[in-house]
Amino acid sequence: MSGADIQALQFKLLKTLAYRLYSFSAFYRARMKESSVHPDDIRSLDDIVKLPFMYKKDLRDNYPDGMFIGDQDDLVRYHVSSGTTGKPTVVGYTQKDLDNWSTSVARALNSVGIGRKDVLQVSYGYGLFTGGLGLHYGAEKVGATVVPASVGNTERQIELIQDLRVTAIACTPSYMLHMSEVAEKMGVDIRSDTRLRTAILGAEPWSERMRTRIEESTGIKAYDIYGTSELSGPLFTECSEQNGIHVWGDLALVEVIDPETGERLGPGEKGELVMTMLQKEALPMIRYRIGDITSYDDSECDCGRSHVRIARIQGRVDDMLIIRGINVFPSQVEHTLMSIPELGEHFQIVVERKGSLDTMQVRVELRTALFSDKLDDLLRLKQKVAHLLRNNLNVAVDVELVSPGTLARFEGKAKRVVDRREL
Ligand code: DLL
């Protein structure tokens, strides 16, 4: 479909959605009334700005299923978020919701070249987390052979990759790094001893430089996959161009807003991602403020797809650290560290308050061990890292270089920030 045709369809779907919510959702009807808006006021796609936002807090306040539309009879699945940052959120799915979700993942896999000839190892957690089952059904839909490995038991995962001639893997970028290390320890060279050629990595932030490192060290092409449990789960990936994540316009409508004012931003402008799921039945999401920071691009992609792209997620509005008044995103730290060849991929940020002053320490692993006769080199490297971080973040950072293999490894989402400040 052309961009214009997609927009025409989006308008039709948006209007239907607004009427459905007004008629069947007491919550959303009340919100619309508060904002003095009625579905009749939606006369063009741009009129979406008249509709009120939805927040994660709304789902938590209505835990477990106060925001669902329809009956229990219509639901065929629940997923539940881990709730590490508060009360968990519950997402319910009708059969049509599941069908649309797997269609979305199937299109995504198709756009990175995965099909019937592939063996895809799904190394996202299966269960209440959406990663495992989300990828699973999408992969079956494109006819790939799925290895439902889930997370953990990493040596066994490497054996499966070899024995089942796995060609593609889906997991978090941090688990990919961990797997490559374990493979190396087992004497397995991913490039020559396996058929792994594609990785679909997401569910946590990772940088472009991290991609380069993964691709160069393994020979695998690494693609970014994005989604959140409230929207369904993993939904959208990059295409072969690796230049932005395509959001299927018949399923979702993208806005990027200024998080302070709520005003809509234009293409290329960085702000908070807001998503409207146009066809979700059980738990419709309209103008949902996700909190992730990105920008959008509505020009046609070189791959020929006309679906809007969002840029790699640069962090979350709420993972921004404020160190002595300066805003610092963990993604900026990763970006800087990955530009220094002597450093490995594993790092940790520790924030503390000493007296009334915030301090930030970055602990980062060396790529290879340096011994005591190289102390001068170590000192010089430490100064270089501190200097680059200071320049890029505008805040002084205490750097600790640690031996390879010292910091924690992660099977699911990595936890890189330890904030010890009392609130
Ligand atoms: O992480 C869904 C998912 C599963 C996505 C597998 C991709 C692959 P939640 O647990 O609800 O859902 O977490 C959603 O994770 O708002 C982002 O902050 C972050 N996130 C997800 N994908 C990416 C990505 C799943 N590619 C939250 N880059 C989102 C950066 C990501 N952050």
Side-chain angles (χ1 to χ4, degrees), residues 36-188:
S36 312
V37 59
H38 185 274
D40 289 345
D41 300 328
I42 308 298
R43 295 193 197 95
S44 73
L45 200 51
D46 282 339
D47 283 339
I48 190 170
V49 299
K50 295 179 180 165
L51 294 170
F53 292 120
M54 278 173 80
Y55 301 84
K56 193 167 197 125
K57 185 176 180 308
D58 296 324
L59 293 165
R60 292 202 171 120
D61 290 349
N62 291 283
Y63 177 86
D65 54 3
M67 310 258 309
F68 289 18
I69 290 186
D71 297 325
Q72 160 78 66
D73 304 18
D74 299 320
L75 297 182
V76 294
R77 172 117 47 99
Y78 287 125
H79 280 283
V80 184
S81 80
S82 59
T84 42
T85 55
K87 216 172 184 167
T89 49
V90 178
V91 180
Y93 303 77
T94 64
Q95 187 56 55
K96 183 167 171 247
D97 289 334
L98 289 188
D99 291 346
N100 281 334
W101 183 14
S102 26
T103 297
S104 180
V105 175
R107 288 184 197 168
L109 293 175
N110 181 268
S111 62
V112 300
I114 292 178
R116 291 172 58 81
K117 290 192 169 52
D118 283 285
V119 180
L120 174 69
Q121 183 148 316
V122 178
S123 303
Y124 282 114
Y126 277 66
L128 291 175
F129 178 56
T130 52
L133 289 169
L135 260 301
H136 185 102
Y137 287 101
E140 286 190 349
K141 200 158 192 157
V142 294
T145 313
V146 181
V147 182
S150 197
V151 288
N153 208 344
T154 308
E155 294 198 355
R156 178 99 179 97
Q157 300 242 8
I158 310 285
E159 283 164 15
L160 290 172
I161 289 173
Q162 288 190 287
D163 298 347
L164 301 179
R165 296 179 292 277
V166 169
T167 58
I169 187 157
C171 60
T172 58
S174 41
Y175 196 39
M176 185 74 235
L177 290 174
H178 182 44
M179 272 205 220
S180 334
E181 281 182 341
V182 173
E184 204 179 316
K185 279 192 196 132
M186 291 166 69
V188 175

Side-chain angles (χ1 to χ4, degrees), residues 56 81 124 129-131 135 201-206 224-230 233-235 245 290 292 313 316 413:
K56 193 167 197 125
S81 80
Y124 282 114
F129 178 56
T130 52
L135 260 301
L201 309 179
E204 66 183 12
W206 58 307
D224 198 6
I225 181 162
Y226 177 76
T228 81
S229 48
E230 298 81 21
L235 284 164
I245 295 166
I290 303 179
D292 290 326
I313 303 296
R316 293 186 51 78
K413 300 191 188 225

Side-chain angles (χ1 to χ4, degrees), residues 288-419:
Y288 179 54
R289 288 184 66 158
I290 303 179
D292 290 326
I293 299 166
T294 186
S295 57
Y296 76 92
D297 181 349
D298 55 5
S299 65
E300 192 171 308
C301 180
D302 286 345
C303 74
R305 288 180 182 81
S306 41
H307 298 270
V308 166
R309 280 168 290 162
I310 53 169
R312 181 184 284 284
I313 303 296
Q314 309 209 339
R316 293 186 51 78
V317 175
D318 52 11
D319 76 5
M320 185 178 77
L321 296 160
I322 304 180
I323 314 285
R324 280 171 260 147
I326 311 279
N327 300 345
V328 175
F329 286 98
S331 55
Q332 292 174 289
V333 175
E334 178 177 311
H335 182 76
T336 306
L337 297 178
M338 292 304 116
S339 69
I340 306 168
E342 295 92 330
L343 302 180
E345 287 79 28
H346 299 271
F347 67 95
Q348 186 185 44
I349 301 170
V350 183
V351 186
E352 281 175 308
R353 182 158 295 157
K354 294 191 176 143
S356 59
L357 210 64
D358 293 340
T359 62
M360 180 169 154
Q361 187 194 39
V362 171
R363 307 179 71 216
V364 56
E365 284 186 8
L366 292 162
R367 195 192 275 275
T368 48
L370 277 174
F371 298 103
S372 52
D373 61 329
K374 300 242 177 94
L375 258 173
D376 273 358
D377 289 352
L378 209 56
L379 206 65
R380 257 197 301 276
L381 178 60
K382 188 173 152 153
Q383 279 168 349
K384 175 174 153 188
V385 178
H387 176 75
L388 282 174
L389 285 170
R390 152 119 209 125
N391 265 6
N392 292 351
L393 310 176
N394 286 322
V395 65
V397 179
D398 172 30
V399 172
E400 189 187 349
L401 302 177
V402 300
S403 302
T406 319
L407 299 175
R409 301 296 191 256
F410 301 93
E411 293 176 344
K413 300 191 188 225
K415 186 169 177 351
R416 300 211 192 274
V417 180
V418 181
D419 195 340

